[in-house]
Amino acid sequence: MATKVFVFGASGHAKVVIDILERMQGIEIALVIDDSAKIKGQSLCGHTIAGGRSELLAQRERAGTGIVTIGDNTARRDVAAWLTGQGFKLMSAIHPSAILGRDVTVGAGTVVMAGCIINAAAQIGANAIINTG
């Protein structure tokens, strides 16, 4: 059975993260959330944008685990803090083509893009973006 997750953010970075999530085994995107009321109901990569924070709280049962898909570091950190404060768990998204060495740790909410190489014993913190190349 697939783990149902939400993505929080519906910008260009979200498209890349959704692509990674769809390539990961056992993941199903249940909700796409974005605080911009202008885009509620629009489609992003075949997923309807459900709305903002209030919609996420109202639909908490659909996906208790998620990832912040906002490229801006400050905004991503702030949303991640709000989510964890609300009791949501954050997951990492690691592209299947990424190469992680022995004993690498990847913090919750971190995204590792396609083609990345992370050497042995590296420690990646929470909510980081390890971009391609």
Side-chain angles (χ1 to χ4, degrees):
M1 175 169 250
T3 300
K4 294 184 178 186
V5 302
F6 65 88
V7 297
F8 195 114
S11 64
H13 181 61
K15 293 176 184 178
V16 176
V17 177
I18 287 171
D19 180 66
I20 293 169
L21 293 171
E22 289 176 342
R23 293 169 186 267
M24 292 173 63
Q25 296 289 324
I27 300 294
E28 177 187 334
I29 298 171
L31 289 169
V32 176
I33 300 296
D34 194 284
D35 282 334
S36 174
K38 294 179 186 178
I39 61 174
K40 180 179 179 179
Q42 292 183 15
S43 180
L44 180 72
C45 301
H47 303 279
T48 302
I49 301 167
R53 295 172 198 227
S54 60
E55 284 83 0
L56 177 60
L57 292 172
Q59 298 186 52
R60 179 184 291 269
E61 314 79 45
R62 285 187 62 194
T65 301
I67 190 163
V68 182
T69 56
I70 299 171
D72 178 85
N73 292 330
T74 301
R76 187 174 60 258
R77 181 196 65 218
D78 292 347
V79 169
W82 180 83
L83 289 167
T84 55
Q86 296 297 314
F88 289 100
K89 295 197 183 310
L90 297 178
M91 64 173 291
S92 296
I94 302 172
H95 193 280
S97 71
I99 300 170
L100 278 65
R102 177 189 324 247
D103 298 326
V104 168
T105 58
V106 177
T110 291
V111 178
V112 179
M113 304 290 188
C116 289
I117 300 172
I118 303 173
N119 290 319
Q123 296 179 345
I124 311 297
N127 303 303
I129 298 172
I130 309 300
N131 217 331
T132 302

